[in-house]
Amino acid sequence: MTTAPWRDPALTAAARVDDLLSRMTLEEKTAQLYGVWVGASADGDGVAPLQREMTAGSSAYDWDELITRGLGQLTRPFGTAPVDPALGAQALARAQRRIADAGRFGIPALAHEECLAGFTTWRATAYPVPLAWGASWDADLVEEMAGAIGRDLRAVGVHQGLAPVLDVVRDPRWGRVEETIGEDPYLVGTIGAAYVRGLESAGIVATLKHFAGYASSAGARNLAPVRAGVREFADITLPPFEFALREGGARSVMAAYTDTDGVPASADPGLLTELLREDWGFTGTVVADYFGVGFLQTQHRIAGSEAGAAHAALEAGLDVELPTVRCYGSPLIEAVRAGEVPESLIDRAARRVLLQKCELGLLDEDWNPEPAERIDLDSTQNRALARRLAEESVVLLDNPDGLLPLAPDTRIAVVGPRAADALAMLGCYSFPSHVLTHHPDVPMGIEVPTVLEALRTELPDAKVTFTEGCGVDDPDTGGFEEAVARTAEADVCVAVLGDRAGLFGRGTSGEGCDVTDLQLPGVQGALLDSLVATGVPVVLVLLTGRPYALGRWQGRLGAVVQAFFPGEEGGPAVAGVLSGRVNPSGRLPVSVPQVPGGQPWTYLQPPLGLAGEVSNLDPTPLYAFGHGRSYTEFAWEDFEGSAPGITTDGSYDLALTVRNTGDRAGAEVVQLYLHDPVASVTRPDVRLIGYRRLELDPGESRRVTFRFHAELSAFTDRKGRRIVEPGDLELRLATSSADTRHTARLLLTGPVRELGPTRRLRCETEVS
């Protein structure tokens, strides 16, 4: 029996796919370009934008007939409804056998799932959300977590993960802030690339989203038009994607829903082909965000038909329609037959899809869909990882009089709507928040201790009382009286306030849960006022998906602890900080504002974006980007730089010694910022260009060296070129964007240098 060339593993993937394509009909090639979402409902509340409208009628296909042509993707076989992981893996294997047996070539589908804060399926570990990854400033730990997520996906037969989100926060009122890593492109890029490395190391195709500009939507409204300028787009929006492609090796990119200056990302050849493929050299697949191709017709209205939407997307370079067949099905085939769409566009996209399937082993004769024998998606090892990341991500914002850690035998009044609710730990892309709300009779499937439960465990000798006080976002103040009474009887009040994650207005944080300002949801602010008025010291604990304005309580609180949806082990992590078992080491990935209005604002502002006499509004944050306190103290000593000046293609070393001068182990995050006093276009007053997290025992010191290269000062000029410009620079070693400890001034000399796509992205560090 002769093996067809496309089955021969001795040949290159390109040769195999070229042979296969030559044998396929138009229908078979097109079938590789769409997914099918089995079990997606057109009734009730959905998990994707306009799901009800976009899935109506899409289930009219005949499954048995459809798969005779083959199938590109299976959409969320585990993440659509609760399914036992072992049974689900067996069901997926059976479905893959059916798909392979039905087609002429025996090619299975590529199965994808959401995995933003863990595998979004029943009984899988719910890790901290990406904003908490940013708060940890620990790329190595994030990479380790992503590797564990990837291995769980592989164990059940999934090939592609729809993560990470690399959007840079531009307006914290946006609902999806919890899904982002922070407001700085360098932090987002380095942490995001680490996640990609971890996921890809397990053999899972990482999917970068949302490419590009999604978080810059006008008015912080989900899917609203993007009005970012070319330099903002180039210098803030795009760098994290460069990091994740070059350093992480991501094999897929998801086109954003939004349009920038009138051009939807899903139909933008300048973005999806010229920049991504021609300039950056990307060779993987571009997939649609759910219904993104159809939205070109129904929402953006740049196409008059489903075939027109398919043509626009394919021509731009969008290869795969997700989540289910609509525009890339019969309408596209008919348009090709009628000569309205070139078949070469089908061939181009199908070749990319099949190359990826070849890399994954799905074209091999010995392909086997059988799952792992033992499947445990919430293992002891997973939970230990979730605990470590949760503990590292908790940020101690303030502790002015040393109220924390709490005394072990104190009287504690725990108050607040987030104290005794397990869902307070979880973001909108966790399975319990994302899917289980539609299945109220199904148990959560994982153990998620609350802050109240964990605090009682941490401090068994303390007398702990609890009352909710109010709901998350309802206007009822009827519980205030009891909350005040319990607080008055206590030595300290722990007020646990924050968000409820949800989708499309069903929460206070999450996709489609945008807000008009940054005041605490509902009447939680009024509840906090009532607690503070008792005169009993109040520790504010925030479990949120975005920063909220806290200036109203400045100087009135005993301590402030911030946790961004810290996952299933978040309760013990927060309680550990309160008890002192955990020395807090998190640093803010987003600024915390003084007042709820006057937004949008992030720390990346040029001079006119800062406080000044030209406006009565002061945007200075209460707590700056990078801020965070510890229960120990650190001395920054022996600062030195290697030279007072370098050329525009030169490098410069800065070094200092960090010493733990306290009596307990802790972690310090040394941050390097760039200040460009004069440039040919306005520049952010400061911007992060490097950082290093140092874990130190009492009395221990480590020396950290930052190897700055002039290319890290590059920016986009008026002609759209990325350049290094001669002139004065300041390099600031700091504990936050607002707290500089040491400054090195240097002069760049030589010509203006234009940089290409291989420019340096990272400031390397060395610790001795």
Side-chain angles (χ1 to χ4, degrees):
M1 177 177 164
T2 303
T3 299
W6 68 272
R7 286 285 199 195
D8 187 355
L11 296 178
T12 65
R16 293 173 66 182
V17 168
D18 287 343
D19 176 72
L20 177 58
L21 278 171
S22 71
R23 301 167 184 262
M24 298 175 82
T25 65
L26 172 62
E27 286 78 6
E28 288 167 333
K29 290 183 290 188
T30 305
Q32 294 298 317
L33 307 186
Y34 53 72
V36 169
W37 196 357
V38 178
S41 174
D43 301 322
D45 297 323
V47 297
L50 301 174
Q51 179 179 323
R52 185 186 314 172
E53 293 83 348
M54 298 302 288
T55 54
S58 65
S59 59
Y61 57 78
D62 183 318
W63 167 260
D64 290 329
E65 191 276 331
L66 184 76
I67 61 176
T68 60
R69 308 166 206 162
L71 182 62
Q73 295 224 3
L74 280 170
T75 292
R76 297 181 67 173
F78 292 88
T80 300
V83 56
D84 178 270
L87 296 178
Q90 294 168 6
L92 175 58
R94 288 195 299 271
Q96 291 281 41
R97 289 285 188 201
R98 285 185 63 193
I99 293 166
D101 290 344
R104 289 197 302 143
F105 300 103
I107 304 170
L110 190 153
H112 77 256
E113 288 288 351
E114 298 283 1
C115 58
L116 185 67
F119 182 3
T120 307
T121 193
W122 193 48
R123 295 174 57 188
T125 303
Y127 292 94
V129 298
L131 200 58
W133 312 347
S136 77
W137 294 64
D138 190 341
D140 291 340
L141 184 54
V142 170
E143 182 174 347
E144 189 177 348
M145 174 199 68
I149 294 170
R151 289 188 292 275
D152 285 343
L153 291 166
R154 275 297 287 269
V156 298
V158 173
H159 308 100
Q160 182 169 3
L162 303 187
V165 169
L166 297 180
D167 296 296
V168 179
V169 175
R170 301 302 286 157
D171 186 333
R173 297 174 300 174
W174 190 51
R176 301 189 79 165
V177 166
E178 65 174 74
E179 300 179 45
T180 73
I181 295 167
E183 68 181 43
D184 179 87
Y186 188 86
L187 182 65
V188 174
T190 51
I191 299 288
Y195 181 93
V196 170
R197 283 194 300 273
L199 205 63
E200 291 279 354
S201 73
I204 297 296
V205 175
T207 307
L208 310 182
K209 55 189 196 181
H210 306 86
F211 193 66
Y214 186 33
S216 299
S217 56
R221 292 184 65 252
N222 195 36
L223 274 66
V226 172
R227 300 195 176 109
V230 251
R231 273 165 291 284
E232 178 181 340
F233 205 80
D235 293 343
I236 293 177
T237 300
L238 294 178
F241 293 93
E242 294 182 78
F243 263 106
L245 291 172
R246 286 175 50 189
E247 294 193 1
R251 289 180 283 172
S252 189
V253 170
M254 176 179 281
Y257 283 127
T258 45
D259 74 83
T260 301
D261 198 22
V263 181
S266 296
D268 187 351
L271 184 67
L272 302 183
T273 296
E274 294 168 22
L275 175 68
L276 181 62
R277 297 192 183 275
E278 295 172 9
D279 293 349
W280 290 356
F282 177 68
T283 59
T285 56
V286 175
V287 302
D289 204 343
Y290 283 14
F291 310 117
V293 176
F295 285 172
L296 296 176
Q297 176 194 8
T298 63
Q299 305 303 311
H300 295 293
R301 294 189 295 197
I302 66 158
S305 65
E306 292 173 344
H311 188 185
L314 278 170
E315 193 166 51
L318 198 158
D319 305 309
V320 180
E321 180 181 23
L322 296 179
T324 201
V325 57
R326 185 180 174 96
C327 302
Y328 278 19
S330 298
L332 177 59
I333 292 170
E334 292 167 6
V336 173
R337 297 281 189 218
E340 297 167 359
V341 176
E343 190 169 351
S344 60
L345 294 179
I346 309 292
D347 294 340
R348 182 177 72 172
R351 189 173 192 275
R352 293 166 181 164
V353 169
L354 291 170
L355 279 169
Q356 196 157 89
K357 287 192 173 185
C358 189
E359 291 172 0
L360 293 166
L362 301 182
L363 303 189
D364 296 347
E365 281 187 309
D366 62 355
W367 163 77
N368 182 358
E370 297 307 312
E373 290 185 7
R374 184 177 181 277
I375 296 172
D376 182 359
L377 301 184
D378 191 31
S379 65
T380 301
Q381 295 84 355
N382 282 8
R383 294 196 72 98
L385 266 175
R387 172 75 70 93
R388 284 170 55 202
L389 185 53
E391 289 179 350
E392 289 191 10
S393 70
V394 177
V395 184
L396 177 60
L397 294 179
D398 220 345
N399 191 28
D401 300 316
L403 180 62
L404 296 181
L406 296 173
D409 57 352
T410 192
R411 295 176 300 169
I412 306 170
V414 177
V415 177
R418 302 287 76 200
D421 186 350
L423 287 176
M425 303 297 152
L426 307 180
C428 78
Y429 268 77
S430 68
F431 193 79
S433 298
H434 201 74
V435 176
L436 277 189
T437 54
H438 306 294
H439 303 271
D441 297 330
V442 177
M444 188 175 289
I446 53 175
E447 182 182 351
V448 184
T450 66
V451 169
L452 179 63
E453 293 166 343
L455 190 59
R456 284 174 167 156
T457 300
E458 286 281 346
L459 299 174
D461 295 328
K463 181 181 179 182
V464 179
T465 62
F466 167 69
T467 183
E468 190 175 65
C470 66
V472 173
D473 57 348
D474 64 57
D476 185 10
T477 60
F480 281 24
E481 184 176 349
E482 183 181 358
V484 167
R486 297 289 79 75
T487 298
E489 297 167 353
D491 300 316
V492 63
C493 172
V494 175
V496 188
L497 310 180
D499 281 315
R500 180 184 66 254
L503 292 165
F504 310 114
R506 302 192 293 273
T508 62
S509 173
E511 185 174 357
C513 296
D514 314 314
V515 294
T516 56
D517 60 35
L518 295 176
Q519 62 181 334
L520 288 169
V523 294
Q524 292 184 68
L527 174 64
L528 185 56
D529 285 335
S530 298
L531 301 176
V532 169
T534 64
V536 173
V538 175
V539 176
L540 173 60
V541 174
L542 291 168
L543 299 171
T544 68
R546 62 164 62 85
Y548 284 101
L550 301 179
R552 172 170 157 189
W553 299 282
Q554 185 177 10
R556 300 169 60 202
L557 298 170
V560 184
V561 174
Q562 172 71 66
F564 297 108
F565 290 138
E568 64 182 33
E569 289 288 335
V574 169
V577 167
L578 297 177
S579 73
R581 176 181 56 81
V582 175
N583 190 354
S585 61
R587 302 292 186 267
L588 284 174
V590 285
S591 308
V592 173
Q594 285 265 5
V595 294
Q599 300 295 322
W601 195 87
T602 75
Y603 93 99
L604 290 172
Q605 297 296 319
L608 285 179
L610 305 177
E613 296 180 1
V614 296
S615 172
N616 62 310
L617 295 179
D618 184 351
T620 305
L622 179 61
Y623 301 110
F625 172 83
H627 168 82
R629 301 195 183 280
S630 171
Y631 293 150
T632 190
E633 299 291 333
F634 300 96
W636 292 29
E637 306 166 336
D638 303 326
F639 168 72
E640 64 177 350
S642 60
I646 58 173
T647 63
T648 52
D649 63 353
S651 60
Y652 180 92
D653 284 0
L654 303 91
L656 83 159
T657 298
V658 178
R659 184 183 308 278
N660 183 347
T661 59
D663 58 1
R664 61 177 298 167
E668 177 71 300
V669 179
V670 183
Q671 302 161 40
L672 177 62
Y673 292 87
L674 175 74
H675 170 69
D676 192 346
V678 179
S680 54
V681 297
T682 61
R683 304 294 299 130
D685 185 57
V686 293
R687 63 182 177 92
L688 185 73
I689 59 169
Y691 62 90
R692 187 65 182 256
R693 178 186 168 94
L694 301 173
E695 297 186 2
L696 301 171
D697 289 328
E700 184 182 10
S701 64
R702 303 291 296 274
R703 189 158 185 82
V704 58
T705 300
F706 289 86
R707 305 200 180 283
F708 170 78
H709 193 280
E711 291 184 3
L712 296 171
S713 70
F715 59 87
T716 303
D717 71 1
R718 301 183 191 199
K719 297 178 180 178
R721 305 174 303 168
R722 191 176 299 278
I723 63 167
V724 178
E725 195 172 67
D728 292 318
L729 292 178
E730 286 185 7
L731 300 177
R732 299 175 178 177
L733 288 167
T735 62
S736 76
S737 62
D739 185 8
T740 299
R741 298 295 178 86
H742 297 286
T743 299
R745 295 174 176 84
L746 68 157
L747 176 67
L748 294 190
T749 60
V752 172
R753 289 184 60 223
E754 182 175 356
L755 304 182
T758 59
R759 68 188 175 97
R760 286 173 177 81
L761 297 171
R762 178 184 292 271
C763 183
E764 299 296 338
T765 62
E766 181 180 300
V767 176
S768 58

